[in-house]
Amino acid sequence: MALARISRNWRRSSGTNTNTNTNSSIIPFSNTSHSTSNAKTVSRILYLQSLTKADHMNFEGRGIHGIEGYRFGHAMRISETENFHYASLEPTKPGDKPRVVVLGTGWGACRFLKGIDTTIYDIVCISPRNHMVFTPLLASTCVGTLELRSVTEPVGRVQPALAKHPGSYFYLASCTDIDTKKHEVYCETDDNNHGLGYEPYRFKVAYDKLVIASGAEPLTFGIKGVKEHAHFLREVSHAQEIRKKLLLNLMVSENPGVSEEEKERMLHCVVIGGGPTGVEFSGELSDFIVRDVFQRYAHVKNYVRVTLIEANEILSSFDVGLRQYAMKHLTKYGVRLVRGVVKEVQPQKLILSDGSVVPYGLLVWSTGVGPSQFIKSLHLPKSPGGRIGVDEWLRVPSVEDVFALGDCAGFLEHTGRQVLPALAQVAEREGKFLVELFNKKIGKQNAGRAYSARDIDLGEPFVYKHLGSMASVGRYKALVDLSQSKDAGGVSMAGFVSWLIWRSAYLTRVLSWRNRLYVAINWATTLVFGRDNTRI
């Protein structure tokens, strides 16, 4: 390997091309000016040969650096040139299965991946994470009620074809742009996301059909200091950071020399946002304090406080009676409810719009989600709120062969439909609808190829029916609201029975039997032995 590296470096310094094979199926694409000479361009581009029969890990001897553990068969190292170049996964050929490219691994994307018929389509999934997060239970991982692996499902288990079928791939990368005329997506993976120390890779993937399900990002409303100092609760990494910060503050506060004022600040946990995520996290946190902190951190237990700040009413989408029950329950178990608007966030305190100052040791921001910068940058029609605009069949009407679903998509105004809330059940139902559309309509009518689905019958449009809402408030209590809207009648209940329903419902919704077993075991061990407070 060392001799191969020396030889490769000598050839580069002498200007010799490191790959003279012209029969590569991966075509380099340059976005540089045509003024650069062809000879100079060719001498600087590292070609990547087709990996149909190649070992994806054994790139070193060919002068190409691969990413160990991931199928980056069609990516290219770009550090050898001043300008970026793209390797590509070429368009499908006659005789190949149509290729469906899916952007994202959230609820909508994974529901679509799980159900798509891989005997009809080849699938390429592109996402900066290789797993789905079961977000309704993510708050439980912050305090040790559940282990992190219990709420994650590898995308390779969701759709095994991504790891096994020769025409299907998973690429660990972020999509940066889409060319709807050429039917290509442009992608990049960088060191900032994964911390592996390699330089950026860029590549492009041709598609026959494109499904955009890249999700949303937390709303900060442009408030100064939120991104720098607050913790969000959307990803597993967020839960890890919250857990580490919480346990660190508990342990450091017991050290000699820490003042009373500093202890009060360090052990003050502030949650911004009174939606289901904020309320469930506050409930889990208060339960953790009462059951575990009082026993294991007895020296500082009287300093621990939880404050929930909401601009309006907590759980505004729930029945009025349930909202009042939640407020009484949270207050009873030590959660201080404050109505206010955050004006600025500083490293150790936040300032409200009325001028009051709130010191904190842990700040969790949960005020909803909005379109990501990637979605904003796309030259596609937008629905009210800035999401990608779709019609009744989840198609982007101004371009061909592009669909969107989940938190990144919303109905256009001309459809006469309201933009659906950014909920897991909305994304999942849209993914299920799109699976039926692809398998039974597009696939059966041989319309999977690019530009071939213009005049086909797509059947009935998507109709969303709300199944209800649930939220845990801690101490074996939960809320269940089965009404389809705030004005419509329906079953609503709160208490221990609702908590059993909440747990049973989410246990059945966990994607795999493996994770269901993990969750059940974690709940049982927590009930018997308490939460794990190890800071790893």
Side-chain angles (χ1 to χ4, degrees):
M1 184 176 293
L3 290 176
R5 189 181 296 112
I6 293 171
S7 174
R8 182 174 68 255
N9 292 336
W10 177 83
R11 282 182 289 169
R12 287 175 182 167
S13 64
S14 63
T16 305
N17 191 355
T18 57
N19 190 342
T20 58
N21 189 346
T22 60
N23 295 324
S24 173
S25 64
I26 308 303
I27 307 300
F29 172 83
S30 174
N31 60 354
T32 59
S33 172
H34 291 291
S35 61
T36 305
S37 66
N38 291 336
K40 182 178 180 180
T41 302
V42 171
S43 67
R44 293 183 179 225
I45 295 177
L46 297 180
Y47 287 89
L48 188 73
Q49 290 184 327
S50 173
L51 297 177
T52 304
K53 298 181 180 180
D55 180 2
H56 287 271
M57 304 306 166
N58 188 21
F59 292 155
E60 191 70 19
R62 299 187 183 128
I64 300 168
H65 294 264
I67 304 171
E68 185 174 357
Y70 295 97
R71 296 189 66 180
F72 263 95
H74 301 90
M76 179 179 64
R77 187 76 179 268
I78 58 176
S79 60
E80 301 300 326
T81 177
E82 297 93 341
N83 301 304
F84 288 120
H85 301 276
Y86 288 93
S88 68
L89 183 57
E90 290 183 332
T92 55
K93 300 176 182 178
D96 295 340
K97 290 186 288 186
R99 180 186 300 140
V100 179
V101 173
V102 181
L103 305 181
T105 51
W107 279 86
C110 284
R111 183 61 184 87
F112 178 80
L113 289 171
K114 183 179 181 181
I116 192 70
D117 189 345
T118 54
T119 64
I120 301 176
Y121 304 99
D122 282 331
I123 307 298
V124 175
C125 179
I126 302 170
S127 175
R129 69 183 190 194
N130 72 334
H131 58 272
M132 172 192 169
V133 180
F134 194 83
T135 47
L137 296 179
L138 191 58
S140 299
T141 65
C142 298
V143 295
T145 306
L146 295 176
E147 294 182 13
L148 292 169
R149 66 175 179 176
S150 301
V151 299
T152 59
E153 191 69 38
V155 69
R157 288 180 178 269
V158 176
Q159 179 48 262
L162 293 172
K164 298 178 181 179
H165 291 194
S168 297
Y169 301 93
F170 169 75
Y171 293 142
L172 189 72
S174 298
C175 183
T176 57
D177 200 7
I178 300 172
D179 190 329
T180 56
K181 293 182 179 180
K182 295 182 178 179
H183 275 50
E184 293 174 340
V185 295
Y186 298 86
C187 307
E188 177 178 339
T189 178
D190 56 43
D191 182 56
N192 292 330
N193 284 341
H194 310 117
L196 299 180
Y198 56 79
E199 297 185 37
Y201 286 79
R202 286 188 179 182
F203 57 96
K204 63 179 181 177
V205 177
Y207 64 84
D208 291 302
K209 296 288 186 289
L210 175 64
V211 177
I212 306 174
S214 55
E217 61 184 27
L219 281 174
T220 63
F221 305 101
I223 299 173
K224 182 180 178 181
V226 174
K227 291 184 178 180
E228 293 80 5
H229 308 301
H231 295 273
F232 302 108
L233 190 53
R234 297 276 297 169
E235 303 286 347
V236 169
S237 59
H238 298 160
Q240 287 176 313
E241 292 168 2
I242 293 171
R243 177 176 171 79
K244 287 182 178 180
K245 182 68 172 178
L246 176 62
L247 294 177
L248 177 66
N249 288 353
L250 284 168
M251 289 183 284
V252 172
S253 64
E254 292 187 315
N255 291 349
V258 180
S259 66
E260 299 293 308
E261 182 181 359
E262 183 64 6
K263 285 182 181 179
E264 289 183 354
R265 183 197 66 80
M266 291 178 64
L267 299 180
H268 186 199
C269 304
V270 178
V271 182
I272 308 297
T277 301
V279 168
E280 288 190 336
F281 177 73
S282 300
E284 284 280 355
L285 198 54
S286 66
D287 197 18
F288 172 62
I289 292 169
V290 172
R291 289 195 59 202
D292 301 272
V293 171
F294 282 10
Q295 294 181 9
R296 302 177 190 182
Y297 298 94
H299 299 100
V300 294
K301 65 180 183 180
N302 295 327
Y303 297 94
V304 184
R305 294 176 297 146
V306 180
T307 299
L308 175 61
I309 300 176
E310 168 57 42
N312 300 301
E313 292 187 357
I314 66 170
L315 300 174
S316 58
S317 62
F318 281 69
D319 176 76
V320 176
L322 295 181
R323 293 204 299 267
Q324 294 175 348
Y325 178 91
M327 292 173 64
K328 291 179 181 178
H329 180 84
L330 291 173
T331 303
K332 179 181 178 180
Y333 288 98
V335 179
R336 177 171 170 249
L337 302 178
V338 175
R339 180 170 293 187
V341 177
V342 178
K343 180 180 178 181
E344 181 182 351
V345 177
Q346 297 180 7
Q348 296 182 352
K349 63 183 179 181
L350 57 87
I351 302 172
L352 300 182
S353 58
D354 61 1
S356 57
V357 177
V358 182
Y360 67 87
L362 172 66
L363 177 62
V364 177
W365 194 272
S366 176
T367 58
V369 295
S372 65
Q373 290 301 317
F374 166 64
I375 296 300
K376 293 177 182 178
S377 69
L378 296 177
H379 299 292
L380 297 174
K382 299 297 193 296
S383 68
R387 303 186 193 182
I388 297 174
V390 296
D391 64 9
E392 298 90 332
W393 291 272
L394 306 182
R395 299 176 299 182
V396 181
S398 62
V399 295
E400 290 198 65
D401 301 321
V402 179
F403 300 78
L405 71 159
D407 296 352
C408 69
F411 290 118
L412 290 166
E413 286 186 293
H414 72 77
T415 63
R417 302 188 180 194
Q418 292 184 342
V419 175
L420 296 174
L423 299 175
Q425 64 171 298
V426 173
E428 186 180 29
R429 299 285 292 281
E430 289 177 340
K432 182 179 180 180
F433 170 82
L434 212 55
V435 163
E436 297 291 318
L437 189 67
F438 271 67
N439 290 349
K440 297 184 178 180
K441 299 297 182 180
I442 297 176
K444 297 300 183 182
Q445 298 180 61
N446 296 320
R449 297 285 180 189
Y451 304 107
S452 62
R454 295 177 180 175
D455 301 317
I456 68 169
D457 176 25
L458 296 179
E460 295 295 323
F462 173 72
V463 177
Y464 173 70
K465 292 183 179 180
H466 189 61
L467 299 179
S469 303
M470 296 183 291
S472 170
V473 292
R475 299 299 295 170
Y476 312 112
K477 301 294 189 295
L479 315 176
V480 175
D481 188 355
L482 300 182
S483 57
Q484 293 191 0
S485 66
K486 290 199 299 184
D487 300 326
V491 177
S492 61
M493 60 177 64
F496 179 72
V497 174
S498 298
W499 178 79
L500 291 177
I501 295 173
W502 175 82
R503 283 208 162 182
S504 301
Y506 281 146
L507 187 62
T508 58
R509 299 308 298 165
V510 173
L511 214 58
S512 67
W513 282 103
R514 183 195 68 158
N515 277 22
R516 290 171 193 167
L517 181 61
Y518 283 158
V519 169
I521 291 175
N522 288 166
W523 280 341
T525 53
T526 298
L527 180 65
V528 176
F529 302 108
R531 294 172 175 84
D532 177 25
N533 65 345
T534 306
R535 185 178 184 270
I536 300 176

